[in-house]
Amino acid sequence: MSQSSYDLIVIGSGPGGYVAAIRAAQLGLKTAVVEKNPTLGGTCLNVGCIPSKALLTSSEKYADALHGFAAHGVRAPSVSFDLAAMMGHKDKVVKDNTAGIEYLFKKNKIDWIKGKGVIAGAGKVDVAGQTYATKNILIATGSESTPLPGIAVDEKRIVTSTGALVLSEVPKTMVVIGGGVIGLELGSVWQRLGAQVTVVEFLDRILPTMDGEISKTMQKILAKQGMQFKLGSKVTSSVNNGKDVSLTVEAASGGNAEKMQADIVLLAIGRRPFTEGLGLDKVGVKLDERKRIVTDHKFQTNIPGIYAIGDVIAGPMLAHKAEDEGVVCAEMMAGQSGHINYDAIPGVVYTWPEAASVGKSEEELKKDGIAYKAGKFPFSANGRARAMGDTEGFAKILADAKTDRILGAHIVGPDAGTMIAELALAMEFGASSEDVARTCHAHPTLNEVVKEAALAVEGRPIHV
Ligand code: FAD
Ligand code: NAI
């Protein structure tokens, strides 16, 4: 049976899908969102960005009380934590956020069609036995954890990020497979709460997509916090007896097998696009070699009227990338124009200190043969960081050797994720390092490290 007709049906209510729906509704399109989960918000709000940041903040507060208070003269002789209460806080934050999206849908008159959406053809979406007609379909079905042969996830002993967000007790030992963003963030949560965490990383460095200096500095800092690293290594098999897990770990190049034991194993070797059961093969929507949906600059697939955004297409798997694509895609559907500067999308790792990047790394600039100047400034020379007792890390700005235009910026330090916004904005406006250096920065703030790094590009920082 055919239901009322829409201008746009979005499949998936993650940050890509729900933001696209709101923007489309703002522009006057009659919009519905199909979501199969009992709550809106997708990976990000339910089992990703938001719950992980709640646990990161709670565990950070505990670690600070344990290790950081004394330097400020604050005595807290018997600090302890209540894991159930921490989880309760996280669950409430998730509930408030997902309910917030429901409210925004009502406010913007967006219909939530509950159930799994299957594309029956251009302009037709099947949900729970009903066919809905629509002018446009937007696929925003996101991604899922990439499996690893030999490592059977049960979400109890061998977990993905989803299981790692709901552990009912702190493991004594945890092996994290993959030294990327999830491994370091969720590894940090459990390490701060008392687990001995070992990260097994296939490559010879953690955070392999970030600037090399960031990777090295983060590894040093996290090792000082107690995290252990096995680089250039791979896990080839696991035996899960329900109480703990025995792993076989080999050198990445093969050979040198050794056994490792862990109460909990966190598998975090990346995520893959999720298009299962969506009917794409029947409709003929083209996928690339990594099973991502292929789109043009308007986010249209090879089938007219079917669009895709977010984790399910190429590019960094980040919530803000999905959101921006959602906005631009909706605006283009409504006849407007739009564009995303993929060179200025920031990435943040929410460990403590945080790591944040925007634009090119030194390795990428060298590979592309682009001549650049680098300016670097340490937090240890910043008055505010000293006052906070958070002096680890640095800011680094990479600028074109000829034009001085900023090509990349990389920060390890307190609140690096907030500080990188200034540099993303600078890049968006095509700013030079001198533009940032001559911008008045309030004193005493952490952001003065950015200004000094910009001054350092021309070899003239003031405070070192
Ligand atoms: P998703 O958020 O994955 O949403 C897809 C939705 O589609 C889901 O709700 C799913 O149920 C629904 N769906 C799928 N198929 C169907 C169907 N056939 N019918 C109906 N519904 C369907 N990114 C950041 O930028 N910052 C962070 O701090 C951050 N932290 C993260 C932490 C973790 C632990 C994880 C796992 C990810 C994190 N990410 C973070 C990544 C971020 O969550 C994703 O990039 C983002 O959610 C992608 O948005 P999306 O809209 O493309 O898809
Ligand atoms: P990732 O791509 O960040 O890291 C995966 C790591 O696993 C890499 O270092 C890779 O070299 C390694 N690896 C791959 N195969 C391996 C193997 N067989 N053995 C050992 N190591 C192996 O992926 P991750 O951490 O799973 O996160 C998935 C995505 O979610 C990321 O792409 C990220 O964009 C997003 N995310 C973003 C966050 C943020 O913005 N703060 C937080 C968490 C996730």
Side-chain angles (χ1 to χ4, degrees):
M1 190 182 98
S2 192
Q3 297 291 308
S4 67
S5 167
Y6 289 97
D7 293 316
L8 170 63
I9 291 184
V10 182
I11 307 180
S13 71
Y18 86 72
V19 168
I22 292 173
R23 187 71 190 114
Q26 283 177 346
L27 292 166
L29 303 189
K30 187 165 186 249
T31 304
V33 175
V34 186
E35 174 55 61
K36 63 181 169 59
N37 277 350
T39 49
L40 299 172
T43 303
C44 179
L45 270 63
N46 290 282
V47 290
C49 326
I50 298 302
S52 62
K53 267 79 249 179
L55 288 183
L56 275 158
T57 306
S58 300
S59 60
E60 216 166 85
K61 285 184 189 294
Y62 171 64
D64 201 25
L66 217 52
H67 311 295
F69 278 13
H72 292 271
V74 179
R75 283 192 215 107
S78 64
V79 183
S80 61
F81 66 89
D82 176 342
L83 185 60
M86 263 185 204
M87 291 291 174
H89 166 71
K90 174 209 65 176
D91 293 342
K92 183 176 182 317
V93 173
V94 168
K95 196 163 161 259
D96 290 349
N97 275 273
T98 56
I101 307 301
E102 232 178 304
Y103 159 77
L104 290 173
F105 275 17
K106 281 190 189 125
K107 185 180 161 207
N108 287 284
K109 301 191 174 35
I110 297 165
D111 291 341
W112 172 6
I113 305 172
K114 295 185 183 180
K116 185 177 165 185
V118 180
I119 302 176
K124 273 189 285 177
V125 179
D126 290 345
V127 188
Q130 311 265 24
T131 300
Y132 296 82
T134 176
K135 283 193 195 121
N136 298 299
I137 297 170
L138 174 57
I139 304 169
T141 49
S143 62
E144 62 178 354
S145 177
T146 304
L148 182 63
I151 316 297
V153 169
D154 64 355
E155 295 294 8
K156 288 195 173 73
R157 290 281 155 197
I158 303 182
V159 298
T160 65
S161 51
T162 301
L165 289 167
V166 294
L167 298 181
S168 54
E169 58 183 54
V170 179
K172 284 200 178 63
T173 51
M174 176 182 246
V175 167
V176 177
I177 309 177
V181 198
I182 290 180
L184 299 187
E185 287 188 1
L186 293 179
S188 285
V189 166
W190 294 107
Q191 188 266 325
R192 289 168 189 163
L193 298 181
Q196 174 56 63
V197 174
T198 306
V199 175
V200 178
E201 165 59 47
F202 186 79
L203 298 174
D204 59 3
R205 51 180 275 207
I206 60 168
L207 299 174
T209 54
M210 293 186 95
D211 186 273
E213 213 173 347
I214 297 268
S215 299
K216 245 191 237 152
T217 307
M218 280 311 298
Q219 191 184 332
K220 243 191 237 159
I221 293 173
L222 292 173
K224 227 164 70 184
Q225 292 174 10
M227 207 178 267
Q228 294 182 349
F229 296 93
K230 260 187 187 305
L231 302 183
S233 303
K234 62 181 177 191
V235 177
T236 50
S237 67
S238 63
V239 179
N240 176 358
N241 65 18
K243 288 202 178 109
D244 62 10
V245 183
S246 164
L247 297 170
T248 308
V249 183
E250 288 181 24
S253 50
N256 294 333
E258 60 168 303
K259 295 277 178 210
M260 282 182 82
Q261 210 77 13
D263 292 337
I264 297 287
V265 173
L266 165 58
L267 179 62
I269 60 164
R271 292 178 63 83
R272 61 182 188 184
F274 183 76
T275 54
E276 208 181 281
L278 200 55
L280 295 188
D281 42 349
K282 247 173 59 196
V283 186
V285 170
K286 212 165 130 193
L287 306 182
D288 69 10
E289 71 295 344
R290 288 164 65 182
K291 302 259 189 302
R292 298 174 298 194
I293 296 176
V294 178
T295 59
D296 64 12
H297 70 288
K298 286 189 164 179
F299 305 105
Q300 184 159 260
T301 67
N302 58 314
I303 308 292
I306 303 184
Y307 298 78
I309 54 162
D311 279 11
V312 82
I313 69 167
M317 288 183 165
L318 296 172
H320 41 285
K321 177 256 192 192
E323 289 185 35
D324 286 4
E325 287 179 342
V327 167
V328 169
C329 185
E331 288 175 350
M332 288 195 192
M333 272 179 203
Q336 300 186 350
S337 58
H339 123 107
I340 291 173
N341 178 2
Y342 285 97
D343 289 332
I345 295 180
V348 180
V349 187
Y350 296 85
T351 45
W352 194 264
E354 293 177 348
S357 281
V358 62
K360 302 276 188 217
S361 65
E362 286 205 53
E363 290 75 15
E364 285 170 328
L365 291 173
K366 281 181 188 145
K367 197 171 122 250
D368 295 345
I370 297 169
Y372 66 93
K373 300 169 287 183
K376 200 174 145 189
F377 192 83
F379 280 90
S380 57
N382 173 272
R384 186 65 183 279
R386 284 181 183 162
M388 290 165 64
D390 270 314
T391 52
E392 283 176 315
F394 61 87
K396 177 166 78 173
I397 293 178
L398 308 173
D400 189 285
K402 274 205 200 103
T403 64
D404 193 35
R405 190 181 176 130
I406 298 173
L407 301 172
H410 309 278
I411 308 175
V412 171
D415 282 329
T418 306
M419 292 168 64
I420 203 73
E422 171 183 1
L423 289 155
L425 187 70
M427 286 184 70
E428 193 63 43
F429 279 77
S432 63
S433 78
E434 179 153 12
D435 289 329
V436 173
R438 290 197 182 275
T439 300
C440 190
H441 285 67
H443 176 77
T445 58
L446 295 170
N447 292 66
E448 287 172 290
V449 171
V450 169
K451 179 185 171 121
E452 291 272 12
L455 282 165
V457 171
E458 294 298 342
R460 55 191 180 96
I462 302 290
H463 291 93
V464 279

